[in-house]
Amino acid sequence: MKSELKEVSPTQRELHIEIEPEALKAAYGTVSQKYAKGASVPGFRKGFAPVDVVRLRYKEEIKNEVLQQVVPDKVAAAIEEHDLHPLAEPHMHLVDAENIKINGTEPVKLHVHIEVMPEIPSPKYDGMELVRRVKPVEEGEVEDLIANRLQKEQALIPVEGRASEIGDTVVADLEGKFDDDPNGEVIKADDLEVVLGDEVIEAAFTENLVGVREDDEKEFTVTYPAEFSSEALAGKTVHYKAKIKSIGRSETPEMNDEWARSLDEGYESLADLRSKLRADLETYAKTDADARVRNNAIAKLIEENSFEVPNTLIESQARNLLNNFAQDLQQRGVDLNKVENEFVQMAFSQMRTQAERDVRGAMLLDKVAEAENVDVNEEEIEEELSKLAEYYRTTVDEVRESLKKQGGTATIENNLRTRKAIEALIGKAKITDGPWVDENAAEPAAEPAEEKPKKAAKPKAAKAKSDEPKEPKKKSAKSES
């Protein structure tokens, strides 16, 4: 066998192989005899037809089998001879395929296209100039956090001695039947909380539930507008029966020192709460700034070190990103069978762009790790396993067992190596502090992802059971008093 290697590009190699006639002749004889023993040829008893006749009758079948016997081994030998490491299955084509002879009178020539890892030059990263920008904490952010805490502390206090009014919350069990299908599936919503007068509540509910008392039963009809948010209810007329379970009014605690101390988090006063919330926001802002520096460092590393990335790796990462995107859509309730193919193609195109940056960044960080002699020891892997066990509220042994299905702890080791490479990258950079600039309009490249194993429950109106995205709250006004 003769073979010649040609470099088509940094990631593409082409092998020109010539298979000697002797190898073909031996296989041709063996395969011909196999067909002759079992061939049924008119005019001859089964298995007694002359070999030449069998070869003529089963010409294409014998040719294909001879090539299948000989070619793969020769290609594998040539790949080994030239010390190639294919990233994917090689693509082969025969030279002058229609006229080749496999009877041992002529050699067979073929070309093999192979994708390989490119030679990545040592990246330039020493002295990389980066700017660290910390977002200042605005006073309104602290007050928003306090307002959210007050909202969480809101309590539903039962009303006594009067009927429901605007602003009250009516808790009711609801049943509804469609006007155009009275014998169809009944809409059911137990412990539905309706805030009377709330702008997100269909007006008919407020109109009919003002003036009710606990244990009242009320029947009313709601005609939903054609553009209503729920497709199941849009344009429909529904007859409802409501069993009133309780009536209450939400009360928000007064924002003062006593309330701050009641939070059981060690706050001494409202001023202390404000101070600690500001400190938390400032810590987060610094952490976010550090993350942006890391992202910008990786983006700069990619921009300043250009090389050809293997298409196989890009396609693989793009499919991973698309699968993650599809899973996210499913979790949001999207039926993937109804997603247009054009949308999928557009999403994949965008994923492919990101995938190329992911792969390029990972390859460069690997070279940084190599240059900086980054090493990951068993103690660090064990520590990471303990963190995962704590995060998932399980044991280290269970995490380790789960990782076996994904190739063991190699993923953990790779993640740790990547983190250390990023730390080394930052350690060699020249970082200065600069004024805050909102970078949302032009987000920097994200770090290579590590592999890892209005008010809720206050709907615009009751929904059909099959259309309900979340289970309604099941607390009456009395239970929260």
Side-chain angles (χ1 to χ4, degrees):
M1 178 191 69
K2 297 177 183 178
S3 65
E4 179 187 359
L5 180 64
K6 292 189 175 181
E7 182 174 325
V8 179
S9 78
T11 63
Q12 298 292 332
R13 301 290 186 271
E14 187 173 289
L15 273 174
H16 290 193
I17 299 174
E18 182 178 299
I19 301 175
E20 67 277 13
E22 292 79 9
L24 294 162
K25 185 176 181 179
Y28 185 56
T30 302
V31 174
S32 297
Q33 287 298 327
K34 185 184 85 169
Y35 271 80
K37 288 178 181 179
S40 297
V41 179
F44 300 94
R45 283 186 297 161
K46 183 176 181 181
F48 284 87
V51 172
D52 288 342
V53 174
V54 172
R55 284 172 173 169
L56 185 62
R57 184 174 181 84
Y58 295 99
K59 180 181 177 180
E60 288 303 316
E61 290 86 344
I62 291 173
K63 172 183 165 183
N64 289 335
E65 190 162 333
V66 168
L67 292 173
Q68 287 172 5
Q69 277 193 15
V70 176
V71 171
D73 288 342
K74 296 296 182 181
V75 170
I79 288 174
E80 185 177 355
E81 177 188 346
H82 293 280
D83 195 26
L84 297 176
H85 303 281
L87 292 172
E89 194 70 26
H91 295 286
M92 299 177 285
H93 72 269
L94 297 166
V95 177
D96 195 17
E98 293 180 358
N99 299 313
I100 64 169
K101 296 178 180 179
I102 45 87
N103 59 5
T105 59
E106 294 179 2
V108 167
K109 297 179 181 180
L110 65 148
H111 295 169
V112 184
H113 302 276
I114 302 168
E115 190 170 33
V116 297
M117 287 289 284
E119 283 292 331
I120 307 172
S122 297
K124 301 172 185 176
Y125 60 90
D126 201 354
M128 185 185 294
E129 295 184 355
L130 301 168
V131 180
R132 182 172 181 268
R133 305 179 189 277
V134 181
K135 184 179 183 295
V137 176
E138 299 176 3
E139 194 60 40
E141 294 179 73
V142 176
E143 297 308 313
D144 285 344
L145 287 177
I146 293 176
N148 288 335
R149 293 297 297 268
L150 282 169
Q151 193 73 21
K152 289 179 181 178
E153 298 292 321
Q154 216 176 49
L156 195 61
I157 308 300
V159 300
E160 297 178 358
R162 66 169 176 80
S164 61
E165 300 173 350
I166 296 293
D168 288 344
T169 296
V170 174
V171 180
D173 290 343
L174 211 65
E175 287 189 6
K177 293 183 179 180
F178 287 98
D179 184 53
D180 59 356
D181 188 16
N183 297 319
E185 184 178 359
V186 176
I187 299 172
K188 284 191 176 182
D190 293 338
D191 295 325
L192 183 72
E193 295 183 1
V194 181
V195 181
L196 303 182
D198 194 316
E199 60 181 12
V200 302
I201 297 296
E202 190 64 26
F205 278 79
T206 294
E207 293 167 4
N208 286 281
L209 295 179
V210 165
V212 298
R213 296 176 180 270
E214 188 174 336
D215 295 328
D216 279 357
E217 294 186 1
K218 184 73 180 279
E219 295 188 25
F220 56 95
T221 299
V222 177
T223 299
Y224 293 94
E227 65 278 5
F228 190 66
S229 57
S230 169
E231 189 177 334
L233 297 174
K236 302 286 187 179
T237 297
V238 182
H239 301 293
Y240 284 111
K241 288 183 179 179
K243 168 67 176 177
I244 312 303
K245 300 182 76 173
S246 61
I247 301 165
R249 182 170 284 266
S250 293
E251 289 190 4
T252 303
E254 186 179 349
M255 187 172 58
N256 53 28
D257 291 343
E258 183 180 353
W259 168 72
R261 286 191 290 269
S262 73
L263 296 177
D264 295 330
E265 295 176 33
Y267 301 120
E268 297 177 0
S269 63
L270 187 59
D272 185 40
L273 170 61
R274 284 194 172 98
S275 174
K276 289 178 178 175
L277 288 178
R278 172 174 284 279
D280 290 343
L281 288 172
E282 288 172 348
T283 298
Y284 173 80
K286 291 174 183 176
T287 301
D288 181 63
D290 290 339
R292 285 177 175 273
V293 167
R294 290 194 296 272
N295 288 346
N296 290 337
I298 296 167
K300 209 161 188 177
L301 182 70
I302 292 171
E303 290 163 8
E304 295 181 357
N305 295 276
S306 180
F307 61 92
E308 186 175 321
V309 178
N311 187 65
T312 298
L313 300 183
I314 295 173
E315 291 288 318
S316 176
Q317 176 64 0
R319 284 193 294 272
N320 288 338
L321 293 174
L322 188 63
N323 288 337
N324 292 339
F325 179 58
Q327 289 174 8
D328 183 59
L329 289 178
Q330 279 186 312
Q331 289 173 358
R332 295 170 183 265
V334 175
D335 184 352
L336 297 182
N337 293 320
K338 295 180 180 179
V339 176
E340 295 289 338
N341 187 57
E342 289 182 5
F343 175 76
V344 175
Q345 294 300 323
M346 180 188 70
F348 184 76
S349 177
Q350 293 176 343
M351 300 297 177
R352 202 180 186 287
T353 300
Q354 180 59 45
E356 181 174 354
R357 292 185 69 84
D358 289 348
V359 173
R360 191 184 299 275
M363 293 171 74
L364 285 167
L365 285 171
D366 191 57
K367 292 296 287 186
V368 171
E370 185 181 308
E372 297 293 330
N373 297 315
V374 169
D375 183 42
V376 176
N377 57 46
E378 284 298 322
E379 186 178 338
E380 291 169 318
I381 293 174
E382 288 299 318
E383 185 180 348
E384 191 68 12
L385 289 172
S386 296
K387 289 179 181 177
L388 286 172
E390 183 179 354
Y391 179 81
Y392 289 110
R393 297 181 180 179
T394 185
T395 66
V396 171
D397 288 340
E398 287 176 338
V399 172
R400 198 188 301 277
E401 190 65 30
S402 177
L403 286 172
K404 282 184 181 179
K405 301 173 185 177
Q406 306 171 38
T409 58
T411 299
I412 301 291
E413 186 175 351
N414 288 337
N415 287 342
L416 289 171
R417 194 167 188 266
T418 297
R419 286 187 215 165
K420 285 189 167 187
I422 295 171
E423 290 172 8
L425 189 67
I426 297 300
K428 291 292 181 72
K430 295 179 180 177
I431 303 174
T432 57
D433 290 325
W436 168 249
V437 175
D438 189 354
E439 297 176 342
N440 286 335
E443 284 289 339
E447 292 182 20
E450 290 190 4
E451 301 176 55
K452 290 192 177 183
K454 293 183 175 179
K455 297 181 192 176
K458 296 193 178 179
K460 200 163 187 177
K463 295 186 179 181
K465 210 168 189 179
S466 61
D467 193 50
E468 184 65 45
K470 291 185 179 180
E471 190 174 322
K473 289 182 180 178
K474 294 185 178 179
K475 292 183 179 180
S476 68
K478 281 186 175 181
S479 67
E480 298 203 43
S481 61

